[in-house]
Amino acid sequence: MTGAIQPWHAPALVRLAELRARGNWPHALLLHGKPGTGRRDFARAVAAALLCENPPAALQACGSCVSCRLGAAGSHPDLKLFRSAWFEHVEGDADPADAGADEGEGAGKRLSREINVDTIRRLADFAAIASHRGGLRVALLYPADAMNHVAANTLLKTLEEPPPGLVFVLLADTLDRLLPTVRSRCQAVALAAPDATAAAAWWAEHGAGRDAAFLALADQAPFTALALAQSPIAATAARLHDALADPAALDIPALARSIETELRRADRDAPRSAAAFAADLGTVVGWLQGWIRDLIGAGSADSLRYHPARSAQLARLAGRTSLHRALDYARWLTEAARHARQPLGIALFLEDCLGRYVALFGDA
Ligand SMILES: [Zn+2]
């Protein structure tokens, strides 16, 4: 369970190591940054360093002491993860002793991305007990911005009276959705995302020869790109984009039905793997959003963020609709994306998305 530090996170680590060396370590750390960029590994590496019994330098773990070995095995009694049911499922290493660890699981049931009050109560229970190994204790919580209101207020009580020796490490996508009172009790540290060059270098080493187009599609978030490239719906992405490139030939009901079938199959065949990141209707709507964003960009000579390899296709499409209509559709998608997680009929929902897209190129 020890994490690797990615090169783009090195400055944040230096900053934290300085805090640690100066004896200025906060009791609650709030790490925030873009998903799919190695943030959880960073948080775990920080936790390992805090627990290490023989640290070679400030905020470094030796890797060989009892604490480091327990941490690597995922069984350090002074380190506990508090996650949404969805993350527990995807990461597949939930502590079976945790009540509620299997919450939301079961055939066909969607796992909650929300952190509810039960999880925070377990955190409070953990906070109340003494250190097993006599050192610091670490409670790692993510995604902290997915706490519901009751959960956040319950956490606040524990943050307001921090038990001695306990370090909270909260991990969030963004600070906007966090309760300001929770935010103000934490030391916030931004975790940078890799730029295109750093992401490409990472892909050359870890992408196993897969198409680098996945990196652009995932907006340079390397772990999202790899999860997608390895997922059963990787081919769905290419097929969707080929279809979007030729709206006149797009068979809306057939494409919507086949995407629904592929999503359901991916869910069933690979529920507990990196694929779970990708096998999600929200991801498909995200692809549509990325496509329309680049189409708008192609019309205004912007650089293409998600589909640099399809610039000619996108420029042609941009010439066949108006900026006004494309922007309207983008706005509609943004709204639709909010409801995309659990629609009643996936195919019907996608038909709506695709139908409105094809209409962009018809007569006004
Ligand atoms: Zn150690």
Side-chain angles (χ1 to χ4, degrees), residues 7-361:
W8 48 87
H9 288 157
L13 189 68
V14 168
R15 199 182 145 205
L16 288 175
E18 282 166 5
L19 288 181
R20 185 92 179 116
R22 286 203 308 262
N24 239 351
W25 189 259
H27 81 269
L29 197 60
L30 174 54
L31 306 171
H32 59 103
K34 184 172 167 176
T37 55
R39 304 167 311 162
R40 283 171 292 146
D41 281 345
F42 181 91
R44 288 178 184 218
V46 168
L50 291 172
L51 294 170
C52 178
E53 289 162 25
N54 190 20
L59 220 55
Q60 267 183 41
C62 74
S64 53
C65 70
V66 177
S67 270
C68 284
R69 289 203 305 270
L70 285 170
S75 52
H76 199 301
D78 293 323
L79 167 64
K80 206 142 174 69
L81 306 187
F82 300 92
R83 301 165 285 185
S84 60
W86 187 81
F87 264 116
E88 284 180 348
H89 183 69
V90 167
E91 295 183 330
D93 59 359
D95 183 346
D98 283 348
D102 61 351
E103 190 182 319
E105 266 184 276
K109 208 167 170 190
R110 272 279 165 199
L111 293 159
S112 177
R113 286 163 195 257
E114 190 176 86
I115 291 187
N116 60 28
V117 71
D118 293 338
T119 302
I120 302 302
R121 285 203 187 107
R122 281 192 280 126
L123 190 156
D125 290 346
F126 173 72
I129 55 176
S131 171
H132 278 79
R133 303 230 14 108
L136 290 173
R137 306 169 68 242
V138 180
L140 182 49
L141 171 72
Y142 56 82
D145 46 344
M147 276 187 288
N148 65 30
H149 196 70
V150 182
N153 276 303
T154 306
L155 176 68
L156 190 58
K157 287 187 200 117
T158 312
L159 284 176
E160 278 168 346
E161 292 159 23
L166 180 68
V167 176
F168 296 87
V169 180
L170 278 57
L171 184 56
D173 293 0
T174 152
L175 299 181
D176 318 342
R177 287 193 295 268
L178 271 168
L179 219 57
T181 41
V182 167
R183 227 162 66 190
S184 68
R185 299 256 163 211
C186 302
Q187 166 93 48
V189 174
L191 295 180
D195 60 18
T197 311
W202 187 94
W203 194 259
E205 199 178 328
H206 304 280
R210 292 184 183 84
D211 192 347
F214 284 111
L215 260 185
L217 189 58
D219 197 19
Q220 312 297 335
F223 293 94
T224 308
L226 190 60
L228 174 60
Q230 293 171 333
S231 86
I233 62 163
T236 311
R239 224 155 44 75
L240 173 69
H241 293 124
D242 285 343
L244 294 175
D246 189 5
L250 207 162
D251 183 339
I252 296 168
L255 181 61
R257 265 199 312 276
S258 76
I259 291 177
E260 174 171 32
T261 307
E262 285 158 21
L263 286 179
R264 292 196 190 285
R265 188 189 302 136
D267 233 17
R268 195 186 61 227
D269 293 351
R272 193 177 281 272
S273 71
F277 281 111
D280 185 286
L281 181 60
T283 304
V284 176
V285 177
W287 293 338
L288 282 167
Q289 288 179 293
W291 180 268
I292 200 71
R293 185 204 176 276
D294 274 2
L295 192 151
I296 291 166
S300 54
D302 263 3
S303 64
L304 302 187
R305 188 159 164 185
Y306 304 100
H307 303 282
R310 291 182 184 260
S311 58
Q313 284 174 354
L314 285 157
R316 242 187 343 265
L317 289 167
R320 289 172 48 199
T321 186
S322 70
L323 178 62
H324 175 74
R325 291 163 88 185
L327 285 171
D328 266 356
Y329 179 65
R331 272 193 289 271
W332 180 84
L333 269 180
T334 304
E335 191 53 41
R338 284 192 198 134
H339 311 291
R341 296 256 182 251
Q342 295 176 311
L344 292 174
I346 293 175
L348 276 178
F349 175 76
L350 285 173
E351 273 189 39
D352 196 12
C353 294
L354 293 170
R356 287 168 191 264
Y357 172 75
V358 169
L360 291 179
F361 308 98

